[in-house]
Amino acid sequence: MKEHFNDPDGELGRLTNQIKANDQKAETLMNLVKEGLIDKGLYINQTAELEQSTHQCQQQIKQINSNNTDNANNLEDFRDLLR
């Protein structure tokens, strides 16, 4: 059961890094639109995609954390049963 903990595939780290990258991209887009290097339409489309990606990553993080909580509860129940 313990194998399901600690994010063995590094998924939480990958998702967190993706959120950080999305934030950096959004900041770059904002600077580009302020400088007039891209138009507002492109800015809106790109930031909407980044926001959607960030939201999906956050949902996946919540799911992983929920699964870890469930696994921890199951492990504790199993320990109680063994006692």
Side-chain angles (χ1 to χ4, degrees), residues 8-47:
D9 296 329
E11 189 68 9
L12 287 174
R14 186 192 70 75
L15 292 167
T16 301
N17 289 338
Q18 182 63 49
I19 291 171
K20 288 178 186 177
N22 289 348
D23 290 345
Q24 291 173 346
K25 290 175 185 177
E27 187 175 333
T28 299
L29 286 169
M30 186 179 357
N31 290 334
L32 290 173
V33 79
K34 282 181 182 178
E35 294 174 13
L37 298 174
I38 61 171
D39 67 2
K40 276 192 170 183
L42 179 61
Y43 169 77
I44 291 169
N45 288 337
Q46 292 296 310
T47 54

Side-chain angles (χ1 to χ4, degrees), residues 22 43-54 56:
N22 289 348
Y43 169 77
I44 291 169
N45 288 337
Q46 292 296 310
T47 54
E49 287 180 20
L50 290 172
E51 287 172 5
Q52 181 179 10
S53 172
T54 296
Q56 289 173 346

